[in-house]
Amino acid sequence: YVRHFGNLFLEGNVITDNGPNGQPFASDLITLYAVTNAANLDFFYNTIAGNTVDNHFNFYGSNAQNWVRIYNSIIYDQGDIFTISGNTTPFLRMKCNYVHETNSFPSNGGSIELEDNYPFNPDFVDSANGDYHLQSQSFAKDLCSENEIQSSYPDIEGNPRGIDDPAVPNLRGPFDVGAYEEISFDIIFKDSFE
């Protein structure tokens, strides 16, 4: 829950197993509440999967605008990705992501820029047992650039970002989407230079 002047920065996380306490579904995973002042979210290189929620991002407001940037992430779950309630139009930039649906996306234009959001299975190694690494044949590898955002941290396992797999054609750049950067093919980085 991000509220009035609230700023939330999430990078390189696996967000999973969230849901209601004793209920079949929770309503929202992340709510941005802006009535008189903006609530802001920067969401880079995250993986959302295995949750029981109706909505992943709820934008609520009346007089203020939510500022949201979602880049290079995987949202492969159930439920709608977006819901907008109240009288608000978010400032939303959502680019280079793998998503499970696009029907809930607001209309592109004005303060909303939606580009390269692919409604495909990211091909996790074993999501049923909590392994959200990408399989070797996943098209979510070497998918993104960092033209508009720059990662502040290595991946969730401490691996550097943007390791280019020569066997995978780059779509927008050498950066994998989601929390994990695949490096098993790379003989230099896979054992920390050992």
Side-chain angles (χ1 to χ4, degrees), residues 27 53-57 75 78-83 100-101 103-105:
S27 59
V53 296
D54 290 330
N55 307 298
H56 294 83
F57 300 97
I75 305 168
Q78 57 189 1
D80 290 340
I81 293 177
F82 295 112
T83 185
H100 65 275
E101 64 90 19
N103 292 332
S104 69
F105 284 28

Side-chain angles (χ1 to χ4, degrees), residues 68-146:
V68 180
R69 297 187 308 162
I70 302 171
Y71 285 83
N72 304 14
S73 293
I74 297 171
I75 305 168
Y76 197 74
D77 220 348
Q78 57 189 1
D80 290 340
I81 293 177
F82 295 112
T83 185
I84 299 173
S85 54
N87 183 24
T88 187
T89 301
F91 175 87
L92 173 63
R93 301 292 180 265
M94 185 172 180
K95 299 181 181 182
C96 201
N97 299 284
Y98 256 51
V99 297
H100 65 275
E101 64 90 19
T102 58
N103 292 332
S104 69
F105 284 28
S107 297
N108 212 354
S111 65
I112 297 174
E113 290 182 18
L114 307 170
E115 291 178 17
D116 299 325
N117 295 295
Y118 304 99
F120 304 126
N121 184 334
D123 293 319
F124 294 127
V125 169
D126 187 5
S127 59
N129 290 305
D131 188 346
Y132 296 105
H133 289 87
L134 298 174
Q135 293 180 25
S136 61
Q137 79 278 5
S138 173
F139 289 113
K141 293 172 48 179
D142 288 2
L143 183 70
C144 300
S145 71
E146 286 197 336

